[in-house]
Amino acid sequence: MASSPEVDGMSAATTGKKAKKTKNQVDESELLTVPEGWKEAPFTKEDNPRGLLEESSFATLFPKYREAYLKECWPLVQKSLGDVHVNATLDLIEGSMTVKTSKRTFDPYAILRARDLIKLLARSVPFEQAVRILEDDVACDIIKVGTLVRNRERFVKRRQRLIGPKGSTLKALELLTNCYVMVQGNTVSALGPHRGLKEVRKVVLDTMKNIHPIYNIKTLMIKQELAKDPELRTQSWERFLPNFKRKNLNKRKEPKKKSVKKAYTPFPPQQPESQVDKELATGEFFLRESQKKRKKLEEIKVKQAEALTKRQEERNKAFIPPKEKPMKKTKKVPSEGKIDVEAIKEKVKKAKNKKLGAPPVNPASQTPVPGDKKKNKNKSKG
């Protein structure tokens, strides 16, 4: 009985370990999930009171047609960058924009956001949208699509396919990804959250690979609906997503008879056997001339006999009677009722008495009268 408290102590220790494990598992799962409405604390001057040690600068060129717009909105750009203590300069002679950090700059990432801002302005993004890059939750992506398609006409068609009729495809993509998308020249500029930028890049690259953007938009719509269900967040969505098969209509017609290439060998082909080699193999080379002649005559006689039999068979074909088709037995139609013989006899008698085209004659009128005969004789004499 002394062993019972020890056993109880062991069981309590194991249960304590299991409880710790479950707690750790719960903590890990909680760490992986981001709570709703959570926002990262903004970076303030208190986080970096001494500022930056070195000065950093970035410059970018802009096209000639953007000069007038940038000249108008440049005071607004300087004001927005002044809030993060970054200096901005516009050089209209060289056609470039430059951003620099100052002694008062405390946020080390502010210069990178300022660099993205001038890049977006150079790529025809309006200032109202480009200023959003200075926010913490917003990022940008400039996708170069000019070198993805060789043929210029094909590239223009695919770029127009991305925009859609009256910009409808681009608008649908913006609503699904919560990003601002600008198609200009050989680049596509996107501005929004990181998750949306990833989807925008995929859609743009697939469009340049001749995959219509409507397929990706359909999948995005389904994903958006599935994300609303909390039970499906941890499950795989492959069974819900459509699987579109690619149809290559411009496939070359394959020939009926395919020529199979033989495997390459460095050795030359084997030489064909000569007549002497064949005779040596069969043993005819060692026979006498008389024996050779006799053998040839025998072969000729065998061939003649085969030809005679074939000719005889062809001649005999003319004398072979053709196969007659079997006679088809006619089925007797069963009589519906008994035939009235007496009625048929009466009909035949009536038909004999009648004359064609004459009225029926009474039998009484046909009997001759003796007085009439005499009158007729006298008339004929007179």
Side-chain angles (χ1 to χ4, degrees):
M1 293 299 286
S3 61
S4 60
E6 291 177 3
V7 173
D8 294 334
M10 289 290 287
S11 61
T14 52
T15 52
K17 283 180 183 178
K18 284 179 182 178
K20 283 180 183 177
K21 282 182 182 178
T22 51
K23 281 181 182 179
N24 290 335
Q25 286 173 359
V26 169
D27 292 337
E28 285 175 6
S29 63
E30 283 179 359
L31 286 169
L32 290 169
T33 55
V34 179
E36 291 181 3
W38 179 83
K39 283 186 179 181
E40 194 176 350
F43 193 84
T44 58
K45 196 170 183 178
E46 294 174 1
D47 297 323
N48 187 16
R50 294 181 182 181
L52 305 175
L53 294 171
E54 294 290 333
E55 186 185 275
S56 303
S57 65
F58 291 100
T60 186
L61 299 170
F62 60 87
K64 187 82 173 176
Y65 61 85
R66 291 290 290 170
E67 188 176 325
Y69 180 77
L70 289 170
K71 206 172 180 179
E72 287 178 9
C73 71
W74 196 250
L76 297 169
V77 174
Q78 285 179 327
K79 188 181 177 182
S80 58
L81 289 174
D83 296 339
V84 289
H85 308 291
V86 175
N87 298 325
T89 54
L90 176 67
D91 193 348
L92 296 173
I93 297 163
E94 289 183 2
S96 65
M97 293 179 283
T98 312
V99 286
K100 291 179 184 179
T101 56
S102 63
K103 290 179 180 180
R104 295 172 65 192
T105 309
F106 59 88
D107 189 359
Y109 201 72
I111 187 65
L112 298 175
R113 286 176 182 158
R115 177 201 62 183
D116 293 338
L117 174 64
I118 58 173
K119 274 187 180 180
L120 291 167
L121 289 169
R123 295 315 311 150
S124 299
V125 177
F127 172 74
E128 291 78 11
Q129 293 290 340
V131 174
R132 288 172 56 208
I133 196 68
L134 299 174
E135 297 172 11
D136 289 335
D137 300 333
V138 181
C140 74
D141 189 10
I142 296 168
I143 307 153
K144 293 177 182 178
V145 294
T147 56
L148 296 176
V149 184
R150 289 182 182 179
N151 193 355
R152 186 68 187 171
E153 291 177 3
R154 197 175 291 169
F155 167 71
V156 172
K157 281 182 181 177
R158 290 179 187 179
R159 187 179 63 183
Q160 187 59 37
R161 193 183 295 166
L162 181 64
I163 297 164
K166 296 179 181 178
S168 58
T169 308
L170 205 65
K171 191 68 181 173
L173 188 64
E174 286 177 357
L175 290 168
L176 289 166
T177 56
N178 296 323
C179 293
Y180 174 80
V181 185
M182 181 72 186
V183 181
Q184 177 66 27
N186 294 333
T187 58
V188 178
S189 305
L191 188 78
H194 291 279
R195 191 177 290 178
L197 291 174
K198 190 179 176 183
E199 296 293 342
V200 169
R201 178 172 273 274
K202 185 180 179 296
V203 172
V204 170
L205 293 176
D206 284 351
T207 306
M208 291 297 148
K209 289 175 185 174
N210 202 22
I211 298 167
H212 204 280
I214 196 69
Y215 299 125
N216 286 313
I217 286 166
K218 278 184 180 179
T219 54
L220 285 170
M221 287 170 73
I222 293 162
K223 281 178 181 178
Q224 200 175 44
E225 291 297 320
L226 292 169
K228 292 175 183 177
D229 193 351
E231 292 179 1
L232 294 170
R233 282 184 182 179
T234 55
Q235 296 178 14
S236 178
W237 293 350
E238 287 182 4
R239 55 202 172 111
F240 301 109
L241 299 175
N243 188 16
F244 300 107
K245 291 181 180 178
R246 189 172 180 179
K247 292 181 180 178
N248 193 1
L249 300 174
N250 299 327
K251 203 172 183 181
R252 188 177 67 84
K253 289 183 180 179
E254 294 180 355
K256 288 182 180 178
K257 293 180 180 178
K258 291 182 180 179
S259 58
V260 182
K261 288 185 178 180
K262 293 178 181 178
Y264 172 74
T265 53
F267 306 105
Q270 194 176 2
Q271 288 185 348
E273 291 183 349
S274 63
Q275 191 67 26
V276 177
D277 293 334
K278 289 176 182 177
E279 287 178 0
L280 284 167
T282 53
E284 291 178 11
F285 185 77
F286 303 103
L287 295 173
R288 293 176 186 176
E289 287 185 6
S290 59
Q291 289 175 336
K292 286 181 183 178
K293 285 180 181 177
R294 199 183 303 155
K295 196 172 183 180
K296 281 183 182 178
L297 286 168
E298 285 175 0
E299 287 175 359
I300 289 162
K301 283 179 182 178
V302 169
K303 286 179 182 178
Q304 285 176 351
E306 286 176 359
L308 276 168
T309 51
K310 281 182 181 178
R311 272 189 232 136
Q312 197 67 32
E313 284 174 2
E314 286 176 1
R315 284 174 187 169
N316 292 336
K317 278 180 185 178
F319 300 104
I320 295 166
K323 289 183 179 180
E324 293 182 359
K325 292 179 181 179
M327 293 290 288
K328 291 181 180 179
K329 293 180 179 180
T330 55
K331 293 180 180 179
K332 291 181 179 180
V333 181
S335 58
E336 291 179 359
K338 291 181 180 180
I339 299 164
D340 194 357
V341 180
E342 293 178 358
I344 292 165
K345 284 180 180 180
E346 287 178 2
K347 282 182 180 179
V348 171
K349 284 178 182 179
K350 285 178 182 178
K352 284 181 180 179
N353 293 333
K354 284 181 181 179
K355 290 181 181 179
L356 291 168
V361 183
N362 292 323
S365 62
Q366 286 181 0
T367 52
V369 182
D372 292 340
K373 280 184 179 180
K374 287 180 181 179
K375 286 178 182 178
N376 290 334
K377 283 179 182 179
N378 292 327
K379 284 179 181 179
S380 63
K381 282 178 182 180

